[in-house]
Amino acid sequence: MSQIADRPGGLTLDEAMLGGFGGFPDRLFLISVGENRYAANNVTLPDQQNVNGLACFPSADDATTYMGLLAGLYGEIVGKSFEEAREITISKPVLSCMLLFDGGRIVDVHWVR
């Protein structure tokens, strides 16, 4: 599997990384930044379209790594089911997908719009 980027900010996705939710575990970790708000990320698709996605992690350690990569991002790491995270994403009109980060890199995308 190709790597997308070393750092989460300002990413450009490899076309092979788009689509599906097969790589998402049943349990995800999100970074809650308060008042029903969660960490999200803006990424650039291969066609140069920018999209916003909910930042999701397979472990609390991955969420901690992500916070370390983004200066100024602090929050509480919370566990959610895949469906709960999907519902959060759907409830935020600005978000079009869920982004699965592993080791500070996006490894899968799940589209909700």
Side-chain angles (χ1 to χ4, degrees), residues 30-100:
L30 308 178
I31 301 170
S32 173
V33 294
E35 299 181 22
N36 196 32
R37 294 180 20 216
Y38 299 89
N41 203 283
N42 176 268
V43 296
T44 302
L45 302 176
D47 66 2
Q48 302 306 307
Q49 174 185 339
N50 289 319
V51 297
N52 296 307
L54 180 68
C56 302
F57 308 91
S59 72
D61 288 343
D62 284 303
T64 300
T65 297
Y66 179 88
M67 283 193 286
L69 293 173
L70 296 175
L73 175 62
Y74 301 100
E76 177 185 357
I77 298 169
V78 294
K80 300 284 184 183
S81 70
F82 175 84
E83 284 304 318
E84 288 172 317
R86 188 172 188 281
E87 288 301 318
I88 289 168
T89 306
I90 291 169
S91 75
K92 310 290 184 187
V94 71
L95 300 178
S96 59
C97 61
M98 296 164 55
L99 304 168
L100 182 63

